[in-house]
């Protein structure tokens, strides 16, 4: 069985390329009930930026690894787009939607790593 490469560095770079910010990586690998082994969460300032960040992630991962997501959802209103790479989910939020759902708090027993914003 082929091991999936760690997509985190490429995803983080794609988010930063589209000026996404407040990037958080949550390692869920030791939580039995978690839907994936890792979440990457970030936010954009507008619905068009949220869509652009999600598009950038999907395009960069496909170009650099040939991997397509299993699924993605949320483009209709672009307040929260989730991209499913199997063992890794990417969540791209508007700030107020992120604040409402508080995924970081929901999975607070996992290892959480904040990535510094680049200007």
């Amino acid at each position: 069985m082929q091991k999936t490469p760690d997509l985190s560095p490429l995803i983080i770079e794609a988010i930063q390329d589209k000026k996404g910010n407040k990037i958080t990586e949550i390692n869920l690998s030791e939580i039995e009930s978690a839907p994936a082994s890792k979440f990457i969460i970030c936010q954009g300032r507008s619905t068009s930026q949220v869509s652009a960040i999600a598009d950038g992630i999907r395009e960069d991962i496909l170009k650099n690894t040939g991997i397509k997501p299993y699924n993605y959802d949320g483009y209709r209103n672009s307040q929260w787009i989730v991209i499913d790479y199997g063992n890794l989910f990417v969540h791209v939020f508007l700030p107020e939607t992120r604040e409402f759902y508080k995924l970081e708090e929901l999975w607070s027993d996992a290892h959480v790593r904040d990535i510094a914003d680049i200007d």
Side-chain angles (χ1 to χ4, degrees), residues 10-114:
L10 289 171
I11 290 169
I12 291 165
E13 187 178 322
I15 293 167
Q16 292 170 334
D17 284 348
K18 298 292 183 191
K19 309 290 187 236
N21 62 359
K22 298 196 186 313
I23 303 169
T24 301
E25 184 179 67
I26 303 177
N27 184 336
L28 301 161
S29 62
E30 295 184 13
I31 299 176
E32 213 170 290
S33 61
S37 60
K38 193 178 286 184
F39 282 177
I40 296 178
I41 304 170
C42 70
Q43 65 190 45
R45 291 178 272 298
S46 66
T47 55
S48 57
Q49 187 185 21
V50 167
S51 294
I53 292 167
D55 286 344
I57 292 165
R58 291 175 39 226
E59 290 164 8
D60 285 5
I61 295 299
L62 183 60
K63 184 178 84 181
N64 290 300
T65 68
I67 296 172
K68 291 181 181 179
Y70 290 103
N71 205 351
Y72 48 89
D73 195 19
Y75 276 93
R76 182 170 294 163
N77 61 24
S78 295
Q79 295 177 1
W80 174 8
I81 295 175
V82 62
I83 307 169
D84 173 3
Y85 283 104
N87 64 345
L88 185 153
F89 288 6
V90 185
H91 301 271
V92 187
F93 283 104
L94 280 178
E96 57 272 16
T97 307
R98 183 179 188 172
E99 178 60 29
F100 180 81
Y101 287 101
K102 299 180 190 275
L103 290 186
E104 292 91 336
E105 289 180 24
L106 183 66
W107 298 102
S108 61
D109 48 345
H111 176 72
V112 176
R113 179 173 76 107
D114 294 318

